[in-house]
Amino acid sequence: MQTILGANGQIATELARTLHQHHTGDLRLVSRNPRKVNQDDTLMAANLLDAEQTTQAVKGSRIVYFTAGLPPDSTLWEERFPVMLKNALQACRTAGASFAYFDNTYMYPQNSHIQTEETRFAPVGRKGRVRAAMASMVLEEMARGDIPVLIARAPEFYGPGKTQSFTNALIIDRLKAGRRPLVPVRDDTRRTLIWTPDASRGLATLGNTPDAFGQTWHLPCCDDRPTYKTFVTMASRIFGCTPSYSVIGRWPLIIAGIFSKQVREIRELLPRYEQDNLFDSTKFKRHFPALWVTTYEEGLELIRKEWEANKPE
């Protein structure tokens, strides 16, 4: 049995799909309101804030994936994320299950240095500090060695379906709606984005590779690292639009945060858009050379085809 804690999100959905296709038909999907991805998935409703419910959700599992998410609310993150993770780790110890933790890069310095698995944590803002504390909790569990543990880390997403990210919301979704794309802060800094199916495929590969445990891994990304100017131009061409966009400067976003809680919650991320974001996934690619990485051109074309296929008549 392989179990996904935090089902229904984009990463978890694609993880369930790729696990079923390539690794196991014995899948349990866990969330408050889980939905089947594959016909023979086992569903279990559980609140990960409840230790006993989490223990029952993990019982009988061989590998557990933690992909749980929360809305971008700093208070929610501080109150809930560490409890959810603590309960998941304890449940895995009780079950003797391996633990694969899906992580982001919020704890990294917001500068232009190349990010590797050895990059030291230097979180900026409340969400960054929460993610640093969570990653440290997993690293401590890894060092104890009671159960096999790994960390699979990804930068900002872009992808199909209901992928939630700045890039999808400000560029791709606006192109679909016939609106001018928006670029946060600057259009000339280089970005590393991960195609969400690649992230899920990489996570599934790591979870089913015994030697991958006891390590931190950067999930595989295309190394082209385009600027937003290049990315918008490429996306506009693929969607059949004239390349045109507006840059939203940092100060307008900061001022907008006075009136909008949603904008206020993302302000701590703005410095990363002033710098090149150079996320390095060489380690993964060397260990798993057969796992292909989707180019930005390929990813955007797949998004366009999915959108065209689902448009109302």
PDB file of all heavy atoms in Angstrom, residues 154-188:
ATOM      1  N   ALA A 154      10.751  21.287  -4.861  1.00  0.00           N
ATOM      2  CA  ALA A 154      10.401  21.847  -6.175  1.00  0.00           C
ATOM      3  C   ALA A 154      10.334  23.371  -6.085  1.00  0.00           C
ATOM      4  O   ALA A 154       9.909  23.921  -5.066  1.00  0.00           O
ATOM      5  CB  ALA A 154       9.065  21.299  -6.648  1.00  0.00           C
ATOM      6  N   PRO A 155      10.693  24.068  -7.174  1.00  0.00           N
ATOM      7  CA  PRO A 155      10.504  25.517  -7.237  1.00  0.00           C
ATOM      8  C   PRO A 155       9.071  25.845  -7.644  1.00  0.00           C
ATOM      9  O   PRO A 155       8.174  24.992  -7.544  1.00  0.00           O
ATOM     10  CB  PRO A 155      11.509  25.944  -8.307  1.00  0.00           C
ATOM     11  CG  PRO A 155      11.518  24.777  -9.252  1.00  0.00           C
ATOM     12  CD  PRO A 155      11.318  23.556  -8.397  1.00  0.00           C
ATOM     13  N   GLU A 156       8.834  27.045  -8.128  1.00  0.00           N
ATOM     14  CA  GLU A 156       7.486  27.472  -8.508  1.00  0.00           C
ATOM     15  C   GLU A 156       6.924  26.601  -9.627  1.00  0.00           C
ATOM     16  O   GLU A 156       7.630  26.198 -10.542  1.00  0.00           O
ATOM     17  CB  GLU A 156       7.492  28.937  -8.953  1.00  0.00           C
ATOM     18  CG  GLU A 156       6.102  29.459  -9.277  1.00  0.00           C
ATOM     19  CD  GLU A 156       6.099  30.876  -9.820  1.00  0.00           C
ATOM     20  OE1 GLU A 156       7.039  31.629  -9.529  1.00  0.00           O
ATOM     21  OE2 GLU A 156       5.151  31.225 -10.551  1.00  0.00           O
ATOM     22  N   PHE A 157       5.625  26.332  -9.546  1.00  0.00           N
ATOM     23  CA  PHE A 157       4.950  25.482 -10.523  1.00  0.00           C
ATOM     24  C   PHE A 157       4.524  26.261 -11.767  1.00  0.00           C
ATOM     25  O   PHE A 157       4.301  27.461 -11.743  1.00  0.00           O
ATOM     26  CB  PHE A 157       3.647  24.902  -9.951  1.00  0.00           C
ATOM     27  CG  PHE A 157       3.776  24.094  -8.706  1.00  0.00           C
ATOM     28  CD1 PHE A 157       2.674  23.925  -7.880  1.00  0.00           C
ATOM     29  CD2 PHE A 157       4.968  23.492  -8.345  1.00  0.00           C
ATOM     30  CE1 PHE A 157       2.755  23.183  -6.720  1.00  0.00           C
ATOM     31  CE2 PHE A 157       5.061  22.736  -7.183  1.00  0.00           C
ATOM     32  CZ  PHE A 157       3.945  22.589  -6.366  1.00  0.00           C
ATOM     33  N   TYR A 158       4.365  25.518 -12.858  1.00  0.00           N
ATOM     34  CA  TYR A 158       3.433  25.863 -13.931  1.00  0.00           C
ATOM     35  C   TYR A 158       2.933  24.524 -14.443  1.00  0.00           C
ATOM     36  O   TYR A 158       3.609  23.499 -14.300  1.00  0.00           O
ATOM     37  CB  TYR A 158       4.098  26.708 -15.043  1.00  0.00           C
ATOM     38  CG  TYR A 158       4.879  25.936 -16.077  1.00  0.00           C
ATOM     39  CD1 TYR A 158       4.388  25.780 -17.371  1.00  0.00           C
ATOM     40  CD2 TYR A 158       6.108  25.342 -15.769  1.00  0.00           C
ATOM     41  CE1 TYR A 158       5.104  25.077 -18.336  1.00  0.00           C
ATOM     42  CE2 TYR A 158       6.832  24.647 -16.720  1.00  0.00           C
ATOM     43  CZ  TYR A 158       6.324  24.511 -17.994  1.00  0.00           C
ATOM     44  OH  TYR A 158       7.027  23.802 -18.946  1.00  0.00           O
ATOM     45  N   GLY A 159       1.717  24.496 -14.995  1.00  0.00           N
ATOM     46  CA  GLY A 159       1.240  23.190 -15.417  1.00  0.00           C
ATOM     47  C   GLY A 159      -0.206  23.198 -15.876  1.00  0.00           C
ATOM     48  O   GLY A 159      -0.852  24.246 -15.957  1.00  0.00           O
ATOM     49  N   PRO A 160      -0.722  22.013 -16.154  1.00  0.00           N
ATOM     50  CA  PRO A 160      -2.084  21.852 -16.669  1.00  0.00           C
ATOM     51  C   PRO A 160      -3.095  21.853 -15.540  1.00  0.00           C
ATOM     52  O   PRO A 160      -2.758  22.043 -14.366  1.00  0.00           O
ATOM     53  CB  PRO A 160      -2.016  20.479 -17.342  1.00  0.00           C
ATOM     54  CG  PRO A 160      -1.039  19.721 -16.479  1.00  0.00           C
ATOM     55  CD  PRO A 160      -0.009  20.735 -16.052  1.00  0.00           C
ATOM     56  N   GLY A 161      -4.354  21.617 -15.905  1.00  0.00           N
ATOM     57  CA  GLY A 161      -5.392  21.456 -14.903  1.00  0.00           C
ATOM     58  C   GLY A 161      -5.557  22.691 -14.039  1.00  0.00           C
ATOM     59  O   GLY A 161      -5.572  23.827 -14.520  1.00  0.00           O
ATOM     60  N   LYS A 162      -5.655  22.466 -12.734  1.00  0.00           N
ATOM     61  CA  LYS A 162      -5.888  23.555 -11.787  1.00  0.00           C
ATOM     62  C   LYS A 162      -4.615  23.951 -11.045  1.00  0.00           C
ATOM     63  O   LYS A 162      -4.651  24.319  -9.877  1.00  0.00           O
ATOM     64  CB  LYS A 162      -6.980  23.152 -10.801  1.00  0.00           C
ATOM     65  CG  LYS A 162      -8.331  22.899 -11.467  1.00  0.00           C
ATOM     66  CD  LYS A 162      -9.390  22.486 -10.460  1.00  0.00           C
ATOM     67  CE  LYS A 162     -10.728  22.228 -11.141  1.00  0.00           C
ATOM     68  NZ  LYS A 162     -11.769  21.806 -10.169  1.00  0.00           N
ATOM     69  N   THR A 163      -3.485  23.861 -11.746  1.00  0.00           N
ATOM     70  CA  THR A 163      -2.209  24.245 -11.139  1.00  0.00           C
ATOM     71  C   THR A 163      -2.298  25.658 -10.572  1.00  0.00           C
ATOM     72  O   THR A 163      -2.706  26.588 -11.261  1.00  0.00           O
ATOM     73  CB  THR A 163      -1.084  24.175 -12.184  1.00  0.00           C
ATOM     74  OG1 THR A 163      -0.941  22.817 -12.620  1.00  0.00           O
ATOM     75  CG2 THR A 163       0.237  24.639 -11.588  1.00  0.00           C
ATOM     76  N   GLN A 164      -1.890  25.801  -9.310  1.00  0.00           N
ATOM     77  CA  GLN A 164      -1.932  27.097  -8.639  1.00  0.00           C
ATOM     78  C   GLN A 164      -0.523  27.659  -8.526  1.00  0.00           C
ATOM     79  O   GLN A 164       0.330  27.084  -7.854  1.00  0.00           O
ATOM     80  CB  GLN A 164      -2.568  26.969  -7.255  1.00  0.00           C
ATOM     81  CG  GLN A 164      -4.029  26.542  -7.303  1.00  0.00           C
ATOM     82  CD  GLN A 164      -4.667  26.477  -5.930  1.00  0.00           C
ATOM     83  OE1 GLN A 164      -4.003  26.609  -4.912  1.00  0.00           O
ATOM     84  NE2 GLN A 164      -5.968  26.272  -5.893  1.00  0.00           N
ATOM     85  N   SER A 165      -0.280  28.788  -9.198  1.00  0.00           N
ATOM     86  CA  SER A 165       1.018  29.449  -9.128  1.00  0.00           C
ATOM     87  C   SER A 165       0.882  30.853  -9.676  1.00  0.00           C
ATOM     88  O   SER A 165      -0.107  31.184 -10.350  1.00  0.00           O
ATOM     89  CB  SER A 165       2.064  28.678  -9.955  1.00  0.00           C
ATOM     90  OG  SER A 165       1.825  28.845 -11.349  1.00  0.00           O
ATOM     91  N   PHE A 166       1.873  31.688  -9.398  1.00  0.00           N
ATOM     92  CA  PHE A 166       1.913  33.024  -9.992  1.00  0.00           C
ATOM     93  C   PHE A 166       1.866  32.924 -11.508  1.00  0.00           C
ATOM     94  O   PHE A 166       1.130  33.646 -12.172  1.00  0.00           O
ATOM     95  CB  PHE A 166       3.227  33.716  -9.583  1.00  0.00           C
ATOM     96  CG  PHE A 166       3.118  34.582  -8.364  1.00  0.00           C
ATOM     97  CD1 PHE A 166       2.078  34.441  -7.459  1.00  0.00           C
ATOM     98  CD2 PHE A 166       4.070  35.548  -8.119  1.00  0.00           C
ATOM     99  CE1 PHE A 166       1.991  35.245  -6.333  1.00  0.00           C
ATOM    100  CE2 PHE A 166       3.999  36.363  -7.007  1.00  0.00           C
ATOM    101  CZ  PHE A 166       2.967  36.213  -6.108  1.00  0.00           C
ATOM    102  N   THR A 167       2.670  32.039 -12.061  1.00  0.00           N
ATOM    103  CA  THR A 167       2.809  31.959 -13.510  1.00  0.00           C
ATOM    104  C   THR A 167       1.501  31.540 -14.172  1.00  0.00           C
ATOM    105  O   THR A 167       1.096  32.108 -15.185  1.00  0.00           O
ATOM    106  CB  THR A 167       3.952  31.000 -13.879  1.00  0.00           C
ATOM    107  OG1 THR A 167       5.176  31.498 -13.307  1.00  0.00           O
ATOM    108  CG2 THR A 167       4.115  30.885 -15.380  1.00  0.00           C
ATOM    109  N   ASN A 168       0.834  30.539 -13.612  1.00  0.00           N
ATOM    110  CA  ASN A 168      -0.449  30.141 -14.178  1.00  0.00           C
ATOM    111  C   ASN A 168      -1.486  31.259 -14.048  1.00  0.00           C
ATOM    112  O   ASN A 168      -2.196  31.581 -15.006  1.00  0.00           O
ATOM    113  CB  ASN A 168      -0.963  28.873 -13.499  1.00  0.00           C
ATOM    114  CG  ASN A 168      -0.545  27.605 -14.216  1.00  0.00           C
ATOM    115  OD1 ASN A 168       0.635  27.281 -14.259  1.00  0.00           O
ATOM    116  ND2 ASN A 168      -1.492  26.890 -14.792  1.00  0.00           N
ATOM    117  N   ALA A 169      -1.571  31.858 -12.854  1.00  0.00           N
ATOM    118  CA  ALA A 169      -2.617  32.851 -12.606  1.00  0.00           C
ATOM    119  C   ALA A 169      -2.404  34.133 -13.403  1.00  0.00           C
ATOM    120  O   ALA A 169      -3.352  34.700 -13.954  1.00  0.00           O
ATOM    121  CB  ALA A 169      -2.672  33.170 -11.111  1.00  0.00           C
ATOM    122  N   LEU A 170      -1.151  34.598 -13.486  1.00  0.00           N
ATOM    123  CA  LEU A 170      -0.880  35.909 -14.072  1.00  0.00           C
ATOM    124  C   LEU A 170      -0.615  35.861 -15.574  1.00  0.00           C
ATOM    125  O   LEU A 170      -0.805  36.869 -16.269  1.00  0.00           O
ATOM    126  CB  LEU A 170       0.308  36.564 -13.371  1.00  0.00           C
ATOM    127  CG  LEU A 170       0.136  36.862 -11.885  1.00  0.00           C
ATOM    128  CD1 LEU A 170       1.386  37.537 -11.326  1.00  0.00           C
ATOM    129  CD2 LEU A 170      -1.097  37.728 -11.639  1.00  0.00           C
ATOM    130  N   ILE A 171      -0.196  34.713 -16.078  1.00  0.00           N
ATOM    131  CA  ILE A 171       0.149  34.635 -17.500  1.00  0.00           C
ATOM    132  C   ILE A 171      -0.765  33.664 -18.241  1.00  0.00           C
ATOM    133  O   ILE A 171      -1.528  34.058 -19.125  1.00  0.00           O
ATOM    134  CB  ILE A 171       1.628  34.230 -17.667  1.00  0.00           C
ATOM    135  CG1 ILE A 171       2.542  35.306 -17.043  1.00  0.00           C
ATOM    136  CG2 ILE A 171       1.971  34.019 -19.140  1.00  0.00           C
ATOM    137  CD1 ILE A 171       4.001  34.936 -17.003  1.00  0.00           C
ATOM    138  N   ILE A 172      -0.722  32.401 -17.880  1.00  0.00           N
ATOM    139  CA  ILE A 172      -1.421  31.377 -18.655  1.00  0.00           C
ATOM    140  C   ILE A 172      -2.931  31.548 -18.575  1.00  0.00           C
ATOM    141  O   ILE A 172      -3.633  31.550 -19.602  1.00  0.00           O
ATOM    142  CB  ILE A 172      -0.980  29.974 -18.193  1.00  0.00           C
ATOM    143  CG1 ILE A 172       0.519  29.774 -18.486  1.00  0.00           C
ATOM    144  CG2 ILE A 172      -1.815  28.897 -18.880  1.00  0.00           C
ATOM    145  CD1 ILE A 172       1.121  28.553 -17.828  1.00  0.00           C
ATOM    146  N   ASP A 173      -3.461  31.715 -17.371  1.00  0.00           N
ATOM    147  CA  ASP A 173      -4.911  31.848 -17.229  1.00  0.00           C
ATOM    148  C   ASP A 173      -5.426  33.121 -17.888  1.00  0.00           C
ATOM    149  O   ASP A 173      -6.540  33.152 -18.432  1.00  0.00           O
ATOM    150  CB  ASP A 173      -5.309  31.829 -15.751  1.00  0.00           C
ATOM    151  CG  ASP A 173      -5.089  30.470 -15.101  1.00  0.00           C
ATOM    152  OD1 ASP A 173      -4.864  29.488 -15.850  1.00  0.00           O
ATOM    153  OD2 ASP A 173      -5.122  30.386 -13.860  1.00  0.00           O
ATOM    154  N   ARG A 174      -4.630  34.185 -17.876  1.00  0.00           N
ATOM    155  CA  ARG A 174      -5.055  35.428 -18.520  1.00  0.00           C
ATOM    156  C   ARG A 174      -5.024  35.295 -20.043  1.00  0.00           C
ATOM    157  O   ARG A 174      -5.884  35.841 -20.734  1.00  0.00           O
ATOM    158  CB  ARG A 174      -4.182  36.593 -18.037  1.00  0.00           C
ATOM    159  CG  ARG A 174      -4.445  36.947 -16.582  1.00  0.00           C
ATOM    160  CD  ARG A 174      -3.557  38.093 -16.110  1.00  0.00           C
ATOM    161  NE  ARG A 174      -3.916  39.357 -16.742  1.00  0.00           N
ATOM    162  CZ  ARG A 174      -4.814  40.204 -16.258  1.00  0.00           C
ATOM    163  NH1 ARG A 174      -5.473  39.922 -15.133  1.00  0.00           N
ATOM    164  NH2 ARG A 174      -5.070  41.346 -16.881  1.00  0.00           N
ATOM    165  N   LEU A 175      -4.062  34.574 -20.577  1.00  0.00           N
ATOM    166  CA  LEU A 175      -4.052  34.311 -22.017  1.00  0.00           C
ATOM    167  C   LEU A 175      -5.296  33.517 -22.421  1.00  0.00           C
ATOM    168  O   LEU A 175      -5.928  33.798 -23.442  1.00  0.00           O
ATOM    169  CB  LEU A 175      -2.786  33.560 -22.414  1.00  0.00           C
ATOM    170  CG  LEU A 175      -1.493  34.374 -22.493  1.00  0.00           C
ATOM    171  CD1 LEU A 175      -0.304  33.445 -22.698  1.00  0.00           C
ATOM    172  CD2 LEU A 175      -1.563  35.399 -23.625  1.00  0.00           C
ATOM    173  N   LYS A 176      -5.665  32.533 -21.615  1.00  0.00           N
ATOM    174  CA  LYS A 176      -6.868  31.754 -21.903  1.00  0.00           C
ATOM    175  C   LYS A 176      -8.105  32.647 -21.937  1.00  0.00           C
ATOM    176  O   LYS A 176      -9.040  32.412 -22.712  1.00  0.00           O
ATOM    177  CB  LYS A 176      -7.059  30.665 -20.836  1.00  0.00           C
ATOM    178  CG  LYS A 176      -6.046  29.541 -20.863  1.00  0.00           C
ATOM    179  CD  LYS A 176      -6.328  28.589 -19.710  1.00  0.00           C
ATOM    180  CE  LYS A 176      -5.334  27.456 -19.642  1.00  0.00           C
ATOM    181  NZ  LYS A 176      -5.586  26.575 -18.469  1.00  0.00           N
ATOM    182  N   ALA A 177      -8.119  33.662 -21.067  1.00  0.00           N
ATOM    183  CA  ALA A 177      -9.281  34.549 -20.968  1.00  0.00           C
ATOM    184  C   ALA A 177      -9.216  35.712 -21.943  1.00  0.00           C
ATOM    185  O   ALA A 177     -10.098  36.582 -21.933  1.00  0.00           O
ATOM    186  CB  ALA A 177      -9.391  35.075 -19.536  1.00  0.00           C
ATOM    187  N   GLY A 178      -8.181  35.750 -22.804  1.00  0.00           N
ATOM    188  CA  GLY A 178      -8.046  36.840 -23.761  1.00  0.00           C
ATOM    189  C   GLY A 178      -7.616  38.145 -23.131  1.00  0.00           C
ATOM    190  O   GLY A 178      -7.879  39.221 -23.680  1.00  0.00           O
ATOM    191  N   ARG A 179      -6.934  38.058 -21.988  1.00  0.00           N
ATOM    192  CA  ARG A 179      -6.501  39.257 -21.272  1.00  0.00           C
ATOM    193  C   ARG A 179      -4.979  39.385 -21.327  1.00  0.00           C
ATOM    194  O   ARG A 179      -4.268  38.415 -21.564  1.00  0.00           O
ATOM    195  CB  ARG A 179      -6.973  39.199 -19.816  1.00  0.00           C
ATOM    196  CG  ARG A 179      -8.477  39.052 -19.668  1.00  0.00           C
ATOM    197  CD  ARG A 179      -8.881  38.768 -18.241  1.00  0.00           C
ATOM    198  NE  ARG A 179      -8.651  39.913 -17.371  1.00  0.00           N
ATOM    199  CZ  ARG A 179      -8.767  39.870 -16.045  1.00  0.00           C
ATOM    200  NH1 ARG A 179      -9.097  38.722 -15.455  1.00  0.00           N
ATOM    201  NH2 ARG A 179      -8.556  40.951 -15.325  1.00  0.00           N
ATOM    202  N   ARG A 180      -4.503  40.592 -21.106  1.00  0.00           N
ATOM    203  CA  ARG A 180      -3.070  40.858 -21.148  1.00  0.00           C
ATOM    204  C   ARG A 180      -2.387  40.188 -19.940  1.00  0.00           C
ATOM    205  O   ARG A 180      -2.799  40.392 -18.790  1.00  0.00           O
ATOM    206  CB  ARG A 180      -2.816  42.356 -21.101  1.00  0.00           C
ATOM    207  CG  ARG A 180      -1.339  42.748 -21.159  1.00  0.00           C
ATOM    208  CD  ARG A 180      -1.159  44.184 -20.732  1.00  0.00           C
ATOM    209  NE  ARG A 180      -1.827  45.098 -21.647  1.00  0.00           N
ATOM    210  CZ  ARG A 180      -1.216  45.725 -22.656  1.00  0.00           C
ATOM    211  NH1 ARG A 180       0.074  45.535 -22.866  1.00  0.00           N
ATOM    212  NH2 ARG A 180      -1.891  46.544 -23.430  1.00  0.00           N
ATOM    213  N   PRO A 181      -1.325  39.402 -20.167  1.00  0.00           N
ATOM    214  CA  PRO A 181      -0.596  38.806 -19.046  1.00  0.00           C
ATOM    215  C   PRO A 181       0.043  39.872 -18.159  1.00  0.00           C
ATOM    216  O   PRO A 181       0.358  40.981 -18.613  1.00  0.00           O
ATOM    217  CB  PRO A 181       0.477  37.955 -19.736  1.00  0.00           C
ATOM    218  CG  PRO A 181      -0.059  37.681 -21.095  1.00  0.00           C
ATOM    219  CD  PRO A 181      -0.835  38.908 -21.467  1.00  0.00           C
ATOM    220  N   LEU A 182       0.230  39.501 -16.902  1.00  0.00           N
ATOM    221  CA  LEU A 182       0.884  40.363 -15.926  1.00  0.00           C
ATOM    222  C   LEU A 182       2.163  39.681 -15.438  1.00  0.00           C
ATOM    223  O   LEU A 182       2.175  38.470 -15.228  1.00  0.00           O
ATOM    224  CB  LEU A 182      -0.041  40.633 -14.743  1.00  0.00           C
ATOM    225  CG  LEU A 182      -1.386  41.296 -15.054  1.00  0.00           C
ATOM    226  CD1 LEU A 182      -2.228  41.386 -13.790  1.00  0.00           C
ATOM    227  CD2 LEU A 182      -1.176  42.676 -15.669  1.00  0.00           C
ATOM    228  N   VAL A 183       3.216  40.453 -15.265  1.00  0.00           N
ATOM    229  CA  VAL A 183       4.500  39.925 -14.808  1.00  0.00           C
ATOM    230  C   VAL A 183       4.832  40.564 -13.463  1.00  0.00           C
ATOM    231  O   VAL A 183       4.813  41.790 -13.351  1.00  0.00           O
ATOM    232  CB  VAL A 183       5.606  40.216 -15.834  1.00  0.00           C
ATOM    233  CG1 VAL A 183       6.980  39.898 -15.251  1.00  0.00           C
ATOM    234  CG2 VAL A 183       5.368  39.421 -17.112  1.00  0.00           C
ATOM    235  N   PRO A 184       5.131  39.767 -12.440  1.00  0.00           N
ATOM    236  CA  PRO A 184       5.441  40.341 -11.133  1.00  0.00           C
ATOM    237  C   PRO A 184       6.859  40.913 -11.061  1.00  0.00           C
ATOM    238  O   PRO A 184       7.831  40.232 -11.368  1.00  0.00           O
ATOM    239  CB  PRO A 184       5.285  39.154 -10.180  1.00  0.00           C
ATOM    240  CG  PRO A 184       5.541  37.949 -11.017  1.00  0.00           C
ATOM    241  CD  PRO A 184       5.075  38.291 -12.404  1.00  0.00           C
ATOM    242  N   VAL A 185       6.965  42.177 -10.715  1.00  0.00           N
ATOM    243  CA  VAL A 185       8.192  42.895 -10.334  1.00  0.00           C
ATOM    244  C   VAL A 185       9.114  43.203 -11.506  1.00  0.00           C
ATOM    245  O   VAL A 185       9.394  44.364 -11.803  1.00  0.00           O
ATOM    246  CB  VAL A 185       8.959  42.143  -9.222  1.00  0.00           C
ATOM    247  CG1 VAL A 185      10.157  42.972  -8.738  1.00  0.00           C
ATOM    248  CG2 VAL A 185       8.039  41.826  -8.049  1.00  0.00           C
ATOM    249  N   ARG A 186       9.641  42.170 -12.201  1.00  0.00           N
ATOM    250  CA  ARG A 186      10.577  42.396 -13.311  1.00  0.00           C
ATOM    251  C   ARG A 186      10.366  41.346 -14.389  1.00  0.00           C
ATOM    252  O   ARG A 186       9.964  40.221 -14.104  1.00  0.00           O
ATOM    253  CB  ARG A 186      12.035  42.329 -12.827  1.00  0.00           C
ATOM    254  CG  ARG A 186      12.446  43.466 -11.926  1.00  0.00           C
ATOM    255  CD  ARG A 186      13.864  43.302 -11.418  1.00  0.00           C
ATOM    256  NE  ARG A 186      14.844  43.261 -12.508  1.00  0.00           N
ATOM    257  CZ  ARG A 186      16.161  43.408 -12.326  1.00  0.00           C
ATOM    258  NH1 ARG A 186      16.629  43.616 -11.115  1.00  0.00           N
ATOM    259  NH2 ARG A 186      16.983  43.355 -13.345  1.00  0.00           N
ATOM    260  N   ASP A 187      10.689  41.739 -15.641  1.00  0.00           N
ATOM    261  CA  ASP A 187      10.542  40.783 -16.745  1.00  0.00           C
ATOM    262  C   ASP A 187      11.877  40.270 -17.260  1.00  0.00           C
ATOM    263  O   ASP A 187      11.906  39.483 -18.210  1.00  0.00           O
ATOM    264  CB  ASP A 187       9.754  41.412 -17.897  1.00  0.00           C
ATOM    265  CG  ASP A 187      10.506  42.555 -18.576  1.00  0.00           C
ATOM    266  OD1 ASP A 187      11.566  42.986 -18.061  1.00  0.00           O
ATOM    267  OD2 ASP A 187      10.028  43.028 -19.628  1.00  0.00           O
ATOM    268  N   ASP A 188      12.994  40.705 -16.639  1.00  0.00           N
ATOM    269  CA  ASP A 188      14.310  40.360 -17.184  1.00  0.00           C
ATOM    270  C   ASP A 188      15.110  39.424 -16.288  1.00  0.00           C
ATOM    271  O   ASP A 188      16.277  39.151 -16.560  1.00  0.00           O
ATOM    272  CB  ASP A 188      15.120  41.632 -17.458  1.00  0.00           C
ATOM    273  CG  ASP A 188      15.366  42.462 -16.203  1.00  0.00           C
ATOM    274  OD1 ASP A 188      14.691  42.229 -15.174  1.00  0.00           O
ATOM    275  OD2 ASP A 188      16.230  43.354 -16.247  1.00  0.00           O
TER     276      ASP A 188
END
